[in-house]
Amino acid sequence: MTENDMASSPSGGAFGLSRHHLPVAQLDALARSDAGAGAVQVLSAAERTCRLMLLFHLLGLCGQRPDAFGPLPGTEQAWKALTAVQQRAAADLDVVLMHPQVGTWLAGTLRMLKDVARPRAPLWSETGWLYALIFAAAVRAGLPIRTRVPVRDGAVLLPTLGLVSAGHDSSCDVAEAEVRGGRATVTFEDRQVVLPADPSRDGPGWWALRRMEAQAGGERIEVWLDDIDPYRDLADAITPDRLTPDSVARWSALFGEAWQILCERWPAYARCVAAGLKSISPLPIDPEANVIRSASTADAFGAVLLEQPVDSSMLAVTVVHEMQHVLLGGLLRMIPLHTADDGRRFYAPWRDDPRPLSGLHQGAYAFLGMSELWRRLYESSTGPDTRSLGFEFAYARRQTGMAMRVLSRSPALTGIGHRFVEGMVDHLRVMNAVRLPVELERAAWLAVASHRTVWRLRNVTVEPESVARLTGDWLAGRAPGSEPVRARLTDAGTYPGVHRATVIRQQIARDATVPTVDCTAWAAGYTDPGDHHWWSELALGLADRRLPGWHAMLRDPSLVREVFVAARAAGANPDPVGVAVWLGGLGSA
């Protein structure tokens, strides 16, 4: 903001802007996934300050554009209305301001004002949502107000309250909104909707924002079940997708059971979730997906998007996964843990695409929390699902360990970043001390090794010059030269096949033993150099028995494949295992 912006805006002191301090003990506890409600409250307070600063910045930018609010009241009126609500109902304004989806709106609208993103609708309908925010706070407090609000897709969303519908045939883009005598109304061209006296109940033209409540072990949690907010997605505004009563009942039942699991198995973390989780937005179920889809963003502190899981244990684990993202995202708002992105990308054992260091850190932190809950579920289980729980723990622990080896050695970590990562390593070290049946450890190794091998085959491209040089050496019967092998990373997108972890889960669910990979059978069936599955199975088969060539095949399968294919194209009849043995310790850089 400029000095002129500040001169025309409410004072920071009036809105409670302040500096925030996270004690070292709480930082260390966060690193160990052992933070309590106190750390979450610090992060939430910092998020509030961040949102106020973003809001002031947004209005400052709007003040430089005469058309920023279109047919709605202008920037000066927005300042006045915001200040009036703040002075008379600060707590209600804070509730609305801290609604997770308000953060998404703020970040997205700022990108549009800076021409970084293009609005799907007229810009004023995005900036003008500020008036819906102000009106929502007034409704909550019962404050008299009269203003205009933008209509999007035939409706007006009031954050923390619900959705007002203009009707199926309405084409208006602005509505009159008023609170008078404790009665809130939204008037469209030819229709007026009166909000229910209890806004948490549906009414004519009104969909209430639903809530889920749960209580277990003396701990209570209450979250939004958001199926209506246009900003509940991670990026572009989306339309409402109202859940059926049966779906709501199923979500509530699963959430209650998941909450009981958390309170019983990890009570300290349950208190963290109760303090930080504010909203769950259901994602449509994707029958083609191999995993439960979930997502979160630092812009929407406290919000989670996820598919309805098949059971409460998976919901509990997914909530922990996304809560870890929320916590780390909030921490990064306060403290930089890495230097600026230098463009390098890394392998993440849970993703099909190369990731920046920040993404690797986010994933490792999420999987650290998941691993801890899987451990607790496994160690407390005596039922038929014990093997499945043990595999999930072993698998998540191994994935986390692979990522931590890269993360802990990164020169891009700041001093505090190093301390935080060291705390994560300490937590992982505790989990690594847990002994598991050899069969489950081996199954986890197979799942991770398979994923990494396929990932390298799809995303690592060896430079043609290196392939040509090595192929020439092989055809001439020489040892491979010592020059560095050059390769580059590409993003091959989502893997279209079925990951081995999914197959292993099915085998364990059937109480079947995870079989040894037969590399000789796969070698005999070779047909297509682009068959990533064939190459992966060959690498796993060699490694599973520690046969010659296994190290090169696991470390750099794309290099083995490219030399093999080039030698065949030159008229030779190479053996892929022989090529792997010949390459020995060479690897792409």
Side-chain angles (χ1 to χ4, degrees):
M1 292 182 65
T2 66
E3 291 184 3
N4 289 336
D5 294 334
M6 286 297 295
S8 61
S9 71
S11 69
F15 276 75
L17 292 183
S18 60
R19 297 177 67 86
H20 301 277
H21 171 69
L22 182 71
V24 170
Q26 290 185 342
L27 176 73
D28 292 343
L30 278 168
R32 299 190 306 270
S33 303
D34 192 29
V40 179
Q41 289 164 2
V42 173
L43 297 181
S44 296
E47 177 65 20
R48 176 187 178 275
T49 294
C50 181
R51 289 196 185 181
L52 282 171
M53 293 174 68
L54 291 175
L55 182 57
F56 294 168
H57 185 40
L58 181 145
L59 282 168
L61 292 175
C62 287
Q64 301 170 17
R65 302 177 65 148
D67 62 340
F69 286 101
L72 302 174
T75 305
E76 185 176 351
Q77 291 93 326
W79 282 126
K80 290 179 179 178
L82 195 62
T83 303
V85 174
Q86 164 66 20
Q87 290 173 344
R88 300 181 61 187
D92 291 290
L93 181 60
D94 269 359
V95 170
V96 175
L97 181 68
M98 287 301 292
H99 190 58
Q101 285 71 23
V102 170
T104 304
W105 163 73
L106 269 171
T109 305
L110 279 170
R111 285 191 286 268
M112 295 172 195
L113 284 167
K114 295 176 180 179
D115 296 322
V116 176
R118 291 181 176 273
R120 182 173 66 91
L123 178 61
W124 65 263
S125 71
E126 301 285 355
T127 56
W129 202 58
L130 173 60
Y131 282 102
L133 185 157
I134 294 169
F135 183 66
V139 171
R140 294 181 64 92
L143 290 179
I145 189 173
R146 181 182 178 88
T147 188
R148 284 186 287 174
V149 293
V151 180
R152 179 191 292 275
D153 297 320
V156 175
L157 190 285
L158 303 180
T160 76
L161 294 173
L163 188 78
V164 190
S165 174
H168 295 297
D169 301 326
S170 176
S171 60
C172 69
D173 50 16
V174 176
E176 299 286 336
E178 183 176 19
V179 178
R180 184 169 58 180
R183 182 173 179 263
T185 60
V186 177
T187 304
F188 303 95
E189 290 174 335
D190 55 359
R191 183 186 190 196
Q192 183 179 78
V193 175
V194 180
L195 272 63
D198 179 2
S200 66
R201 296 181 178 274
D202 287 352
W206 174 253
W207 277 349
L209 180 57
R210 291 160 166 156
R211 295 192 76 92
M212 295 190 295
E213 301 178 17
Q215 188 161 347
E219 300 292 338
R220 182 176 178 276
I221 188 171
E222 188 174 352
V223 301
W224 303 112
L225 182 63
D226 191 350
D227 54 2
I228 56 176
D229 198 306
Y231 299 101
R232 67 190 186 277
D233 200 18
L234 299 183
D236 295 333
I238 58 175
T239 57
D241 188 12
R242 196 64 163 169
L243 296 174
T244 66
D246 286 346
S247 293
V248 173
R250 176 61 177 159
W251 268 105
S252 296
L254 278 173
F255 186 71
E257 294 166 6
W259 182 242
Q260 184 168 358
I261 288 171
L262 276 176
C263 289
E264 290 178 354
R265 303 305 176 207
W266 200 357
Y269 201 89
R271 289 188 286 274
C272 175
V273 173
L277 182 63
K278 303 301 179 186
S279 171
I280 291 179
S281 296
L283 289 171
I285 294 176
D286 182 359
E288 302 297 323
N290 293 325
V291 295
I292 299 297
R293 295 182 301 140
S294 64
S296 55
T297 170
D299 293 333
F301 184 84
V304 170
L305 294 88
L306 56 89
E307 285 182 333
Q308 187 177 94
V310 294
D311 58 44
S312 53
S313 293
M314 184 57 69
L315 178 55
V317 171
T318 306
V319 165
V320 169
H321 175 115
E322 295 302 336
M323 192 65 208
Q324 291 284 92
H325 283 310
V326 168
L327 294 173
L328 185 53
L331 179 62
L332 288 168
R333 295 274 222 193
M334 294 182 67
I335 306 167
L337 301 181
H338 331 98
T339 56
D341 183 6
D342 61 3
R344 287 187 297 172
R345 295 297 179 261
F346 304 91
Y347 168 67
W350 45 82
R351 294 283 297 234
D352 292 336
D353 56 332
R355 302 295 291 157
L357 185 73
S358 59
L360 185 67
H361 195 174
Q362 277 280 0
Y365 190 60
F367 270 72
L368 191 69
M370 286 173 59
S371 301
E372 177 63 31
L373 183 55
W374 282 128
R375 177 185 73 82
R376 291 168 180 258
L377 291 173
Y378 168 71
E379 291 183 336
S380 62
S381 175
T382 57
D385 60 347
T386 300
R387 288 177 72 237
S388 293
L389 294 171
F391 168 71
E392 296 298 346
F393 169 47
Y395 184 36
R397 179 175 66 177
R398 185 173 287 271
Q399 289 173 297
T400 308
M402 287 192 71
M404 291 304 301
R405 282 193 288 275
V406 175
L407 190 61
S408 61
R409 298 167 184 165
S410 173
L413 292 174
T414 63
I416 295 178
H418 273 292
R419 183 186 184 106
F420 191 85
V421 169
E422 286 170 4
M424 292 174 63
V425 171
D426 288 343
H427 185 189
L428 180 62
R429 193 174 291 119
V430 172
M431 287 191 286
N432 283 339
V434 177
R435 300 290 296 273
L436 286 168
V438 173
E439 176 208 9
L440 298 181
E441 292 282 20
R442 177 179 168 275
W445 171 81
L446 276 173
V448 172
S450 173
H451 182 275
R452 182 184 181 279
T453 304
V454 170
W455 185 93
R456 290 194 65 86
L457 287 165
R458 299 182 71 239
N459 293 292
V460 177
T461 300
V462 184
E463 296 293 356
E465 295 81 2
S466 293
V467 174
R469 174 174 55 79
L470 288 170
T471 304
D473 290 341
W474 191 88
L475 292 172
R478 296 189 297 265
S482 59
E483 295 179 42
V485 178
R486 302 298 180 189
R488 54 187 169 84
L489 279 181
T490 57
D491 185 352
T494 302
Y495 179 54
V498 177
H499 285 300
R500 179 171 286 277
T502 301
V503 176
I504 290 174
R505 289 187 178 106
Q506 295 167 349
Q507 292 169 329
I508 291 177
R510 294 195 305 267
D511 200 27
T513 300
V514 178
T516 301
V517 183
D518 185 354
C519 61
T520 56
W522 281 108
Y526 172 80
T527 56
D528 178 9
D531 186 344
H532 306 304
H533 183 66
W534 182 89
W535 283 98
S536 172
E537 292 297 287
L538 176 59
L540 291 175
L542 295 173
D544 202 24
R545 296 175 177 82
R546 293 299 190 266
L547 296 176
W550 73 270
H551 193 263
M553 282 296 300
L554 270 193
R555 185 193 64 248
D556 214 335
S558 54
L559 177 61
V560 177
R561 178 187 60 187
E562 295 308 312
V563 173
F564 170 80
V565 170
R568 286 190 69 175
N573 186 27
D575 168 25
V577 176
V579 173
V581 173
W582 177 77
L583 284 169
L586 278 183
S588 55

